[in-house]
Amino acid sequence: MDPGRTLAAGMAVVGAGFALMAFVSTTAGYAGAVAVWTLGEVVTAGMGGAVVAALAPPHLRGRYSGMFGFAWSVGGLLAPPAGTRLLALGHSVLWITVGAVGVLAAVGQFVISPAIRRRSAS
């Protein structure tokens, strides 16, 4: 499977699952939304690291992987304060915003997929 398109599809499913959280109010609804975003996470698991390794020049793979991990760590650091501020505006605001960011990331990933394919092939 094409890694860029697979990542885009997984990100879109994660974003949709997060956005669904704004519209559910039962235990079954929450479980269903979590199942949707978990499916997206399963699709994307490992693909990011594989793309980074494929794009990195052999002598810089460690640095590329380190920056990839650093970016995830920064996201993990910034998400709680940003999410708390969004939650203060309302439950729906938080989940629709997170869902929209996920779908936007999917669109961006889909747009750069051809470049990833070209660069990975060389």
Side-chain angles (χ1 to χ4, degrees):
M1 298 184 89
D2 178 69
R5 287 184 180 174
T6 302
L7 275 171
M11 289 175 182
V13 173
V14 169
F18 285 152
L20 282 173
M21 295 291 287
F23 305 103
V24 298
S25 60
T26 65
T27 302
Y30 287 117
V34 170
V36 170
W37 95 53
T38 300
L39 178 63
E41 289 178 337
V42 168
V43 169
T44 61
M47 293 299 279
V51 169
V52 169
L55 295 178
H59 67 287
L60 294 175
R61 282 196 182 127
R63 288 185 188 174
Y64 276 54
S65 293
M67 285 304 297
F68 179 69
F70 176 73
W72 274 100
S73 297
V74 169
L77 179 69
L78 298 177
T84 302
R85 298 229 188 247
L86 287 170
L87 187 57
L89 298 174
H91 174 264
S92 294
V93 173
L94 169 69
W95 290 113
I96 290 172
T97 302
V98 172
V101 168
V103 171
L104 269 169
V107 170
Q109 181 62 50
F110 185 77
V111 168
I112 67 169
S113 289
I116 291 172
R117 255 190 322 279
R118 279 192 307 275
R119 190 150 167 220
S120 294
S122 49

